[in-house]
């Protein structure tokens, strides 16, 4: 193994009860760049018998997977590699048999971590990769355990590792049928596991909820494939449950948006998630940007600031693509100031996405001007942006495409980050702000009042503004025509508003 301490590469391997994961990153100029992500379904927990003996077949599946991973570790210094094992190997009475051979294969030490440590590392991964403020509830449904954490910024406030997972619940409740009765038994059993710690979570409370597991990723893929927004809610989960029940058996499970690889443990994971929603009275859940393996990597790295994941991502992105920061901030301030005059009030989530869309809107100029919106959309869609969900990235990408020229209405119906009324307002505002700020100089942006009658808008500028600024006035008149022609009336007037 190359022991060079100058290597910028770091590796994290998570020997989970359902899947084994490997993450390779490079630390570069204060940001983290993902080099490789490898995942294999090993289903180690399937090999546990009633006495918690891990069978030979499960061990062999694990060793074969680690033989694939080992090649990638050869050129990474040992001190920059972290390998952990979780619930299945915590339970296995013969875990050492598996570990002895696994450590020979990887030429590295493997640590079996406690449920509490696992929960702490999961929260670190979420804190480093997901935006948000205030107390957060984090859920990770693994193969043999489920971690529940409440934290704020980078600190955990309450954590538990619960003895239930999508592989163990599969063996107990869904091996023969996907019936309504089996679901009811699985959900009630999960609620019984949650009950002893329930009062602690209700008492502490949280502002937002995030999920960091394959089950939650699968639910997100289903609801977006079926035309719904990315927020996971109880009615959506119950609707998916009915679709699963209608399939009857695992062999015939076929739901729009459900990946083939996720099918075997989806029903069991869904039952646990429904139980969590019911017990904790969760209003809505979004997918986190990372979990255990990201937490392991960030524990190895020198970068420890987690107060604003999106701000750190934006700073790196803007620097990498040579974006004019002053102009981007000017457009963002103009757009947000106008949005703050809209009724009903826009959500904080919408205003945050508008800010970052404005900050990124000129990224395509780094390639060329004529098709800059298309280039910007492509770059956003295909960049690793910690702190932004895939649906949020796609929405920002759609704003990039719609920032000037012909109005592209279909983009508003193809995104799942916001409800359409908010998405519409953000699209209109960004287009307007870009024109208002086209002088690119300090002090050139006037005070504008927005007069609104639902989607019928008037932009009220100071008297004689159009005479002093004829180019921007002409561009705004053209924009007013574009928006009005697609059913969103816009007029530009001058008055003492």
């Amino acid at each position: 193994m190359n022991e060079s301490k100058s290597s910028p590469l770091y590796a994290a391997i998570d020997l989970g009860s359902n899947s084994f994961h490997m993450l390779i990153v490079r630390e570069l100029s204060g940001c983290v760049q993902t080099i490789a992500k490898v995942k294999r379904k090993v289903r180690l927990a399937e090999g546990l018998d009633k006495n918690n003996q891990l069978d030979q077949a499960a061990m062999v599946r694990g060793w074969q997977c680690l033989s694939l991973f080992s090649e990638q570790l050869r050129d990474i210094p040992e001190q920059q590699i972290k390998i952990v094992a979780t619930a299945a190997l915590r339970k296995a009475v013969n875990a050492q048999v598996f570990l002895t051979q696994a450590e020979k294969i990887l030429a590295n030490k493997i640590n079996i971590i406690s449920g509490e440590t696992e929960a702490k590392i999961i929260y670190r991964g979420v804190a480093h990769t997901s935006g948000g403020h205030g107390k957060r509830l984090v859920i990770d449904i693994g193969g043999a355990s489920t971690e529940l954490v409440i934290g704020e910024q980078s600190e955990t406030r309450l954590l538990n590792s619960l003895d239930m997972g999508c592989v163990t619940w599969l063996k107990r409740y869904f091996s023969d049928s996907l019936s309504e009765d089996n679901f009811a038994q699985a959900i009630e059993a999960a609620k019984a596991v949650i009950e002893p710690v329930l009062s602690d979570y209700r008492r502490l409370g949280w502002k937002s909820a995030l999920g960091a597991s394959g089950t939650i990723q699968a639910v997100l893929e289903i609801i977006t494939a079926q035309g719904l927004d990315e927020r996971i809610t109880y009615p959506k989960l119950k609707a998916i449950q009915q679709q699963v029940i209608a399939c009857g058996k695992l062999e015939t499970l076929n739901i729009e948006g459900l990946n083939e690889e996720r099918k075997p443990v989806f029903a069991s994971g869904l039952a646990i998630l429904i139980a969590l929603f019911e017990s904790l009275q969760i209003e809505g859940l979004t997918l986190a940007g990372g979990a255990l393996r990201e937490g392991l990597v960030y524990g190895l790295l020198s970068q420890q600031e987690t107060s604003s994941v999106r701000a750190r991502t934006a700073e790196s992105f803007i620097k990498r693509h040579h974006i004019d920061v002053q102009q981007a901030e000017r457009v963002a301030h103009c757009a947000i100031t106008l949005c703050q005059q809209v009724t009903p009030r826009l959500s904080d989530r919408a205003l945050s996405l508008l800010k970052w869309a404005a900050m990124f809107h000129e990224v395509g100029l780094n390639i060329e001007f004529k098709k800059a919106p298309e280039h910007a959309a492509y770059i956003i869609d295909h960049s690793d942006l910690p702190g932004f969900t895939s649906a949020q990235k796609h929405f920002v990408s759609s704003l990039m495409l719609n920032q000037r020229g012909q109005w592209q209405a279909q983009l508003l119906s193809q995104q799942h980050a916001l409800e359409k009324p908010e998405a519409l307002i953000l699209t209109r505002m960004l287009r307007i702000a870009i024109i208002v700020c086209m002088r690119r100089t300090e002090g050139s942006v006037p005070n504008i009042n927005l007069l609104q009658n639902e989607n019928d808008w008037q932009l009220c500028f100071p008297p004689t503004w159009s005479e002093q600024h004829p180019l921007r006035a002409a561009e705004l008149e053209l924009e007013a025509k574009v928006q009005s022609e697609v059913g969103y009336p816009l007029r530009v007037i001058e008055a003492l508003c």
Side-chain angles (χ1 to χ4, degrees), residues 150 158 160 195-206:
I150 292 178
L158 175 65
N160 281 280
E195 179 60 33
V197 301
L198 184 56
S199 60
D200 295 335
Y201 287 86
R202 286 184 175 172
R203 184 166 53 249
L204 186 56
W206 59 87

Side-chain angles (χ1 to χ4, degrees), residues 112-151:
I112 298 179
I113 56 175
S114 68
E116 181 177 300
T117 299
E118 183 178 358
K120 286 180 179 178
I121 297 172
I122 286 168
Y123 185 79
R124 182 199 296 151
V126 171
H128 274 285
T129 57
S130 305
H133 300 284
K135 284 182 286 188
R136 295 182 281 194
L137 171 68
V138 174
I139 295 169
D140 190 308
I141 302 170
S145 68
T146 293
E147 280 62 50
L148 286 182
V149 188
I150 292 178

Side-chain angles (χ1 to χ4, degrees), residues 4 24 68 171 427:
S4 169
I24 310 292
L68 300 178
K171 292 173 70 175
T427 305

